Amino acid sequence: MTIKDIPEEWEIRATETPFVGNKTSVRTDDVVMPDGTVVTRDYQVHPGSVAVLALDEAGRVLVLRQYRHPVRHKLWEIPAGLLDVPGENPLHAAQRELYEEAHVKAEDWRVLTDVYTTPGGCDEAVRIFLARGLSEAEGERFEVEDEEADMELARVPLEELVRGVLAGELHNNCLVVGVLSLVAARTGDGLDALRPAEAPWPARPFEA
């Protein structure tokens, strides 16, 4: 048996959107189960996101600390952001987020991994990129606001982040998945064997 996720869609008898927010909404679907019963499922509808694990020549990862109100924590994270435009090329979005949040550009981009963050209650899909060949971006820094105005930046050795993840000290899902995926890729076929930056992404199709 091949261990691989496959697309599948069960019949929806009725659907409504009881809440529409600025970036996301909540949808309620009446879904037909395999035995014919109909159950109600509520979930958040999300445009999708990108995240960037930026690795410098010294083996350090660019991270930022930001307040996240729903969990009442300041979390160390990797640069990330929403796919603001339907069909937006995720590589372009990732490059924009790295510039806006860290004022950094990268020469080498690869897909590290693709994940659904909370598939039991949200349809958010995230593509996590590996960015190498880092340098300071040109031009003026992006003007931040709200939570981002209090953001802290740091470059932390990969090994220290791994330790923090396994010790239960670091909790952001993109950081955790990105860091552990990077370690797995290094000990496997190597970073150059990762998928190209423009690899297809069925969860969020885009124009190359």
Side-chain angles (χ1 to χ4, degrees):
M1 181 177 64
T2 301
I3 304 299
K4 181 179 180 180
D5 296 337
I6 57 172
E8 183 168 313
E9 187 169 352
W10 292 358
E11 180 186 352
I12 298 173
R13 289 281 173 85
T15 186
E16 62 179 18
T17 305
F19 171 79
V20 178
N22 185 33
K23 296 291 186 180
T24 67
S25 60
V26 173
R27 185 173 297 163
T28 299
D29 290 342
D30 292 340
V31 185
V32 181
M33 298 289 106
D35 64 359
T37 60
V38 179
V39 301
T40 299
R41 293 289 180 263
D42 301 318
Y43 59 100
Q44 183 183 21
V45 179
H46 194 285
S49 306
V50 292
V52 184
L53 195 150
L55 184 69
D56 69 17
E57 293 181 355
R60 300 174 302 174
V61 176
L62 193 158
V63 292
L64 51 92
R65 184 158 63 177
Q66 185 172 344
Y67 177 66
R68 294 301 188 181
H69 184 70
V71 296
R72 309 302 198 272
H73 269 70
K74 271 191 171 183
L75 299 179
W76 284 106
E77 308 178 351
I78 57 177
L82 298 176
L83 292 168
D84 293 324
V85 181
E88 181 178 14
N89 187 309
L91 173 59
H92 298 166
Q95 291 169 333
R96 179 187 68 236
E97 293 301 329
L98 185 60
Y99 166 75
E100 290 183 356
E101 295 192 347
H103 201 66
V104 166
K105 62 180 180 179
E107 296 300 322
D108 186 275
W109 290 82
R110 297 179 187 265
V111 175
L112 190 53
T113 189
D114 300 323
V115 295
Y116 290 115
T117 55
T118 49
C122 179
D123 71 352
E124 181 184 15
V126 180
R127 168 157 281 189
I128 304 176
F129 289 91
L130 172 64
R132 293 179 291 173
L134 308 183
S135 62
E136 189 80 3
E138 300 172 356
E140 296 184 3
R141 286 187 172 272
F142 182 77
E143 187 173 343
V144 296
E145 58 185 10
D146 301 328
E147 291 92 342
E148 291 182 351
D150 188 51
M151 201 162 55
E152 304 169 56
L153 288 173
R155 295 195 183 198
V156 180
L158 176 64
E159 295 75 14
E160 177 64 16
L161 295 177
V162 171
R163 186 207 63 76
V165 168
L166 299 180
E169 298 170 355
L170 299 171
H171 307 90
N172 175 265
N173 57 355
C174 289
L175 182 145
V176 171
V177 172
V179 162
L180 299 185
S181 294
L182 178 60
V183 172
R186 273 182 162 179
T187 57
D189 294 332
L191 301 185
D192 290 337
L194 291 168
R195 286 173 291 161
E198 298 276 7
W201 189 18
R204 293 294 185 273
F206 62 92
E207 293 288 337

